[in-house]
Amino acid sequence: MDYVIRPVRAEEWALVKDIRLAALQDPAAPVAFLETYEQGVVQPDEFWQGRAAGAAESGGDEVRQFIAEAADGSWAGTISVLIERPGEDPRFGEPAKVHQAHVVGVYVRPEARGSGLADQLFRVGVDWAWSLGEPRIERVRLYVHENNPRASAFYRRFGFVPTGETVVEPDDPTALDLEYEIVRPV
C-alpha cells in the first residue's frame, strides 16, 4: 500500500490521540514508550489539541510529528522529532551538548509492519531535522529500551549507532534506555 508521509495538522488532534492510544496498547508498549495507555486515555481533549498544534507545521520548528496516511485517510504510522538546543532542559536523557534532534513516539500499526513504512517515516523525520536552518542540527538521537531488540535492530539498520550513553528508565530503576545517534553527514 502507498502512503503519504506528511506533518500532522492542528485540527487532526483526534487522529493524533487515536494513533497514540493504539501505540500505547501495542504489546511492545512497555519497552517502547514512557507512558501507559492508562495515562494517555485519561488526558482531556485540550491535551491532545495542544499536542497536535505544537507538532504541526504551523506550530514552529521545535517539534514535528509526521504520519503515514493511506488513500482512505487512515493513519498507518507516526514519528515525532523534537529539537533540542544546548542550555535547554532535556525532555529525556542528557542535556544537549550540540544542536540536535530527538526521535520519539515511533509507531507503525501491525498490518503495515514489514512494508518499509518505518524506513519512510524515519527518512522524512531525519531529513526534516537536517533541513532546519541555523543553527544547524549536528546529530539526531533516540533512546531504545535495552529489552527492545527489534527496535534496536531497525535503528542500527537505518544507520543509528550506539553512543554508549544510557539513562535509567524513569519507572524501573533496574532497566536502561540506550542512546543511539546519527551524526550529520558532511
Side-chain angles (χ1 to χ4, degrees), residues 34 62-66 79-85 89-96 98-106 122 125-126 128-130 132 137-144 160 167 177-182:
L34 297 177
E62 294 303 309
V63 179
R64 187 74 77 243
Q65 181 178 359
F66 296 94
I79 187 173
S80 293
V81 183
L82 315 173
I83 302 304
E84 300 174 326
R85 306 287 184 187
D89 289 333
R91 293 178 171 114
F92 181 76
E94 292 297 314
V98 298
H99 300 281
Q100 63 190 24
H102 188 155
V103 172
V104 299
V106 178
F122 264 80
V126 170
W128 174 76
W130 296 151
L132 296 174
I137 299 301
E138 295 182 35
R139 74 180 192 135
V140 176
R141 75 169 174 175
L142 56 80
Y143 285 92
V144 62
F160 283 86
V167 176
D177 283 318
L178 314 173
E179 185 186 61
Y180 282 60
E181 73 177 356
I182 292 180

Side-chain angles (χ1 to χ4, degrees), residues 9 13 97 112 136 150:
R9 298 180 190 112
W13 65 269
K97 295 178 183 81
R136 291 168 31 121
R150 188 182 86 198

Side-chain angles (χ1 to χ4, degrees), residues 34-102:
L34 297 177
E35 176 184 30
T36 66
Y37 176 79
E38 292 73 24
Q39 291 167 323
V41 76
V42 297
Q43 293 293 341
D45 289 349
E46 293 79 20
F47 170 85
W48 298 104
Q49 291 163 354
R51 189 171 184 154
E57 280 185 298
S58 60
D61 283 339
E62 294 303 309
V63 179
R64 187 74 77 243
Q65 181 178 359
F66 296 94
I67 55 93
E69 184 176 43
D72 66 1
S74 64
W75 290 5
T78 185
I79 187 173
S80 293
V81 183
L82 315 173
I83 302 304
E84 300 174 326
R85 306 287 184 187
E88 294 178 354
D89 289 333
R91 293 178 171 114
F92 181 76
E94 292 297 314
K97 295 178 183 81
V98 298
H99 300 281
Q100 63 190 24
H102 188 155

